[in-house]
Structures are given as C-alpha cells and as structure tokens.
Amino acid sequence: MMIIDQLYKEAIEKGPICVGLDTTLSFLPKYLVARDWSDGEKITAFNKNIIDATLDIAATYKVQIACYEALGMDGLKAYSETVKYARNKGKIVIGDVKRGDISSTGDQYAKGHFTGDFEVDIMTINAYMGEDAVSPYYPYLKENNKGIFILQRTSNPSAGDLQNLVVNGQSVYQIMGDKIEKWGKVFMGESGFSAIGAVVGLTRPEEFEAIQNQSPHTFFLVPGYGAQGGTGRDIAEILKKSRCAVVNSSRGLITAHQKAGCEDEGFAEHVRKATIAMKEDILQWL
C-alpha cells in the first residue's frame, strides 16, 4: 500500500484532520515553561502530549520545520524527536519544509527529509521552478514509499498576486494543477490518488471546487482552517464529492488550552476537545 493510500485510509477511518505541530514557545503551558529544561526539550514534551491525546482522532500530523530551526540545534533535535515519536506510534507525518531547488541540491533535500534524523513520510515542496524541482523526489516515491505535497493555491492574502495571473487562458495555479496531475500519473495508488499531491488553501472554497474538478487524482493538504478563517462548511462540497483531502489546523488546535485558561498538565485534553470539535464541524456536512 502506497503512503497516499494509507493517508486516504486514515482520513476515512479517523476523519480528515491534520494536527499541525507548528509549535513555538509562546504556545506552551506555564508548567512546562517553568521546567528546568532546554527550550527544545519543553517543545518535545508538549508535542508528545498532544500526539498521545489525539492519536485516535487525527489522520496525520504536520510539523513545520521553521518553528524548530529558529531554536538552532536544540530546536532541530525537538523536530527530529517529534517526528520520530509520531511515526513510531504508527502515524503518518508530513514535514512542512517547503523545499524547492533543482539538481544535486534537490537530491540533498530529498535525502535529508526522506532518510536519517529528519525522516518523514510526506514533505511539502515548492515546484514553481518546474519539474526539475520535483524530479529529485521521484526515486523516494518509488522505492521508499514516500509522498510530496506541491504548493498549488496557497491561503496567504497575497497569493493571488502571482497564482491568479492568467497565461494562455489559465491562471498560474490552474497550470500548476495540470502539472501536478501529469507528474503524478506514474505514482498512482490503489485509492485512485497519486503520491504527488497538492497544497490548496481553504480560504477560497469556490476556487478549490474548480481545482478538484480539474485534478481528480490529486490528494490535497488543506491549510486555512480555524485561525485563518476556514470552516467545515467551506470544504463540504469538496469532501462530498470525494474524500480527497486532509484539513490542517495548527494554532487553532495546539493553543486550545490557552483559550480555556489551562496552564497545567491537563492541557492536552483541551487540544483533544478542540480536535474533536474540528472533526465534528467538518463531518457534519457530509
């Protein structure tokens, strides 16, 4: 079974929830902040508690490497330990690293995130340099059961400055969608989806529906839920047609204890409740 088939299966069985472990020190409860540990150790403990509390209700975890790189070697150790912990629990982990380079540099990015200390199951990449920025990952998709999510239509406010430009009758993001479908044909799984998927934000539902119709074999990683304004209703029409996506929430979930005023060891239960509420918000429309 290919990694995309496993992710599809998890999204069906547990719900299409991706818990984003985009963890910064400001998110930690006070009891952890007070510990005589390094910052990386505190973040690792925080993440492990959240993983344990949401194992049965999350399809996957997304770990944004920038949050860890900012803390230097201590942070990168926390990234590595977080990823390993989730994978050892049998969970699919998405490394949100957004790499995008060609030739030997792309080869090293692939090796760095599909093997060794930072090994994940799926990684995000930026393919706006063309297929040369994608092809370094092909051997890992074939031989190591890995996957990639390519940035297509992102959720940030200025994305349209470039992605909505029209070239020969198509927007740039539509052209990228065609490329993703084309590149993915040789990596098709039993589920009907390719190991080459796409990142499409939830903040523009009408565009997302058009993208889905254009890309029937593409599985989507969907940011934009919660803190960025997306709701379950926004993705309802997409998931009614096909369970073709996992929806990510980061801040909206992993700061749930702060909204509840909980600063002690019970913080992860509030994250669990927020994750359940997100799952219910999405599934109620299906």
Side-chain angles (χ1 to χ4, degrees), residues 43 59 77 88 107 110 114 125 147 223 233 239 254 262 282:
I43 285 176
K77 183 180 179 183
N88 286 338
D107 291 338
F114 281 154
I125 68 169
R233 189 169 188 173
L239 294 181
I254 66 175
C262 177
I282 291 173

Side-chain angles (χ1 to χ4, degrees), residues 42-72:
K42 294 173 185 178
I43 285 176
T44 300
F46 178 82
N47 290 343
K48 286 181 177 180
N49 272 274
I50 290 176
I51 292 166
D52 288 341
T54 57
L55 275 174
D56 61 326
I57 52 174
T60 183
Y61 295 89
K62 180 183 77 67
V63 191
Q64 169 51 258
I65 199 170
C67 300
Y68 302 83
E69 289 175 331
L71 297 176

Side-chain angles (χ1 to χ4, degrees), residues 225-236:
Y225 182 94
Q228 295 185 56
T231 67
R233 189 169 188 173
D234 292 329
I235 199 169

Side-chain angles (χ1 to χ4, degrees), residues 244-262:
C244 62
V246 288
V247 184
N248 179 77
S249 180
S250 300
R251 283 172 293 161
L253 297 181
I254 66 175
T255 64
H257 60 288
Q258 294 180 334
K259 301 181 183 73
C262 177

